[in-house]
Amino acid sequence: MKRSSLLFILFLLLLSIQMNAQMETIIAGRVTENGTNSGIPFVNIYFKGTLIGTVTDFDGNYYIKTSTPKDSIFVSLIGYRSKAKPVKKGVSQIINFTLSPEALNLGTVEIRPGINPALRIIKNAQNNKAKYNRDNLESVQYTSYTKQEADVDNVTPKMRKWKLFRGFTKMWDSLDSLAGENSKANLPVMMSEVISNIYSYKVGEKKREEVEAVKIKFVGMKDGSAVSQLTGTDFQNYNFCNNNVSIQAKEILNPIADNAMLFYNYYLTDSVMLDSFWCYRIDCRPKNKKDLAFTGSIWITDTTFAIKQLDLEITPDVNFNWLDRARIQQVLIPTDAGIWVPTQTRTMIDFSTLTDKFVSLVVRTYNSNRNFVVNKPKEKNFYDTRIQYAEDAIIKDTLWWKENRFEKLTPLEGKSYDMIDTVRSIPLIKNAVNVLYFLFSGYKDFGPVDLGHYMQLYSYNQYEGNKVKLGFRTNVKFSKDWIIRGYGAYGFKDKKFKYNLQLERILSRFPWSKVGIQYRDDINQIGTNFNYSQNINLGQAPNNLYNLSANIRNFSKLLKMQEARIWYEKDFNFGLTSKITFQNIRTTPLFDLTVAPDQFNIFQQRSYSITEALIDARFSAKERYVQNGNERISFGNKRSAIISLNYTIGLKNVLEGDFNYHKVSLSYQNKFKMATLGYTGIFIKVGKVFSEIPYTLLEIPRGNETNFYANNTFNQMNFFEFVSDQYIQAFWQHHLNGLFFNRVPLLKKYNWREVVGLNMVYGTLSEKNKKFNINNNFTTMEDVPYFEADLGIENIFDIFRIDFLYRLTYNDEPYQDHYAKTNPGSTITNWGIKAGVQFSF
């Protein structure tokens, strides 16, 4: 009897186990983004009203196993529309979700009395972030894979019927089918992948990148080598152990920055186990929606208070131009040294549409790093080469990529490579690319020759009258090593032809080195020099309107110059660029000029010749250059100072040079970014002339009599107002990024931004140069420096700027009377309002 009872109990137990097993529900799947088919990490997957749920991994995958399911499963993530789908109980099933982005609705948060537990966690993270900062590693090396895609977004079904897209119906259908259920695909315009070995060394903040492979297709690509240089990890570095994180040249305040509690609200919303680390989930929101701050979540470990992962977004409310949304998602792991490093990073930049009926651009980047080796530095000279490409980097075949990329391409990504070639062939897009290239570069290409620059086509002065100028340069279709450039100009009043012609040879590209020779015959304003090097720096705002307006004026002091020079320039990889120039310049002033009576005889008095040797050195430790065809473009210096040195020696009797002299100048330039407090820019230059020379060769601070504002220019000073042979110049400007306007109810909707500035120059003229230049009309400074103050409003309609300027010194009546006597027809204006155009995020 006992035995039968025991068997019966065992039977019931086995039956119960079997029934429970049969009733167990297993759900797996992937959450992807509408239009891109890319996985979305950190998405909440749960049964509403229960504690049963999970979070997607970095690729959007999830897995749930439960014996007490509900009828539906829900997914939710800040910035996306939530969804629900039915669940079949007691079976294994695959349920995929496709989420569409939506405007962030922060809603309301209930604040209860007592201490906010999130603040304790954030405070501990602030105290520990220096300990985990990867910038403190002596050295680090790793292998990196970066994938980037740019798509045209918001292409509606109505737009697809435009004449532009006729004939591409099958292309849209193919993309839509790959994008997933109820999803419309975007139009791909760029796909790139790069695999590199990265080596960083703390001493000197040196970094070396060995690019093993690059694969790229780009609709607007004229030269693939240029775009390929923008895909490496050097442009994808987000360190949340620093106080600020740079996105599109804007400094965004880190949620665990030292002063972050002044600008953020924090909420402890969850705790979860992530890769064997128990973590707190902290939601952060800016106190003022306009501030340069993130909205989203960070996961902080419970005892060590390191950031394990994060999901942060810049919302459309932030005072940020040309941007609707930006999102950063990152997973970090600890190294052997205890410092945490990012193993996976995904970013999304969604640029604004010009109108509701126009398309926009979305750029997505995925970065994966592995094989970390820390605090085992190479030899110091190993880091002197910043970037190095394998010989076959851009020609690796499909099979190589299939075997070596860190993760498989999605079907939509694989199709995008092929689609880009199709998109490039659309005539309207091809023409649009050419127009954008023309607006950016200033040149229109005609086969092997480019014509331009359009900003220099017209000028005017009282000697030449109306003047037209057409320039040209050869491109890579002509030669990848030789460059011929120049221009021809004609003045309709003096009826004289002017020209410039120069020949350059690129000796090496990595590191950059070039040699050139030039001859130029033209008319210059006094105090200006011709830019024969043609260097482009995107990190500095151009003064295009000022330069154009300054060339259309009745100048009283012009010089006819015949210039012959030869130069050699070289980049030394660790941030130093040098240039050696030898030149002879024959100058004929087009106004009365006298020098010391014993310098010339009567037949030579109006003209002089100089022969010079110049040495220029420029150092910026983090400046990054990109080669576009035969041109080299600076993408800024990443907050590292720019230090420039010039030494010039004049050689008498060499090529009929008339003077022996020595000149030296040193300058310092830098930006200091402070996130929500804005950023400060400074430029300081000191110099001295040690010899007696005509005042046209001395230092003449650049003034501005135009209606347009100019950077690093004395905007309330007249042209050619002061002359000195020893001087110091300083320009200070602080951009507040809307710090105050963002808090004024009637103003904050306009996204205006405040600017304050102060410019100063102090220069003196030695007695020997006063005597050498006696009987000439110019003014000199006394014991007081020249000062001017600037109060500006920028970002008016996103691109305009207005500055209110006041001249603080040399504005009294005695000085104004003296200036009017020495400069007939010119007056001093103390107050000024100047406008400008600038494109900034």
Side-chain angles (χ1 to χ4, degrees), residues 379-439:
E379 295 293 328
K380 290 184 179 180
N381 59 4
F382 173 82
Y383 301 94
D384 289 344
T385 301
R386 286 188 175 187
I387 187 166
Q388 180 175 303
Y389 289 84
E391 290 185 2
D392 59 346
I394 62 176
I395 59 173
K396 293 284 200 316
D397 59 23
T398 302
L399 180 60
W400 188 95
W401 279 102
K402 188 175 181 179
E403 294 175 350
N404 289 275
R405 62 169 55 97
F406 285 17
E407 66 169 30
K408 293 174 59 177
L409 295 179
T410 66
L412 185 60
E413 289 171 339
K415 191 70 174 177
S416 294
Y417 272 120
D418 300 327
M419 290 298 178
I420 289 172
D421 288 332
T422 304
V423 175
R424 291 177 68 177
S425 66
I426 300 174
L428 189 57
I429 289 183
K430 195 173 183 179
N431 293 334
V433 168
N434 290 332
V435 170
L436 291 174
Y437 180 81
F438 172 69
L439 293 174

Side-chain angles (χ1 to χ4, degrees), residues 725-778:
D725 57 12
Q726 54 185 356
Y727 59 90
I728 178 171
Q729 301 176 5
F731 300 88
W732 169 79
Q733 195 168 93
H734 186 76
H735 301 253
L736 290 158
N737 283 340
L739 180 65
F740 298 109
F741 287 166
N742 288 345
R743 287 155 177 80
V744 179
L746 296 178
L747 294 180
K748 63 181 182 180
K749 66 179 181 179
Y750 296 111
N751 285 339
W752 291 352
R753 302 169 186 166
E754 319 86 341
V755 182
V756 293
L758 185 68
N759 300 331
M760 182 276 291
V761 58
Y762 182 60
T764 60
L765 190 64
S766 62
E767 287 299 323
K768 60 183 180 181
N769 262 318
K770 287 181 179 178
K771 292 179 181 178
F772 193 81
N773 290 279
I774 198 167
N775 298 327
N776 287 289
N777 292 331
F778 57 80

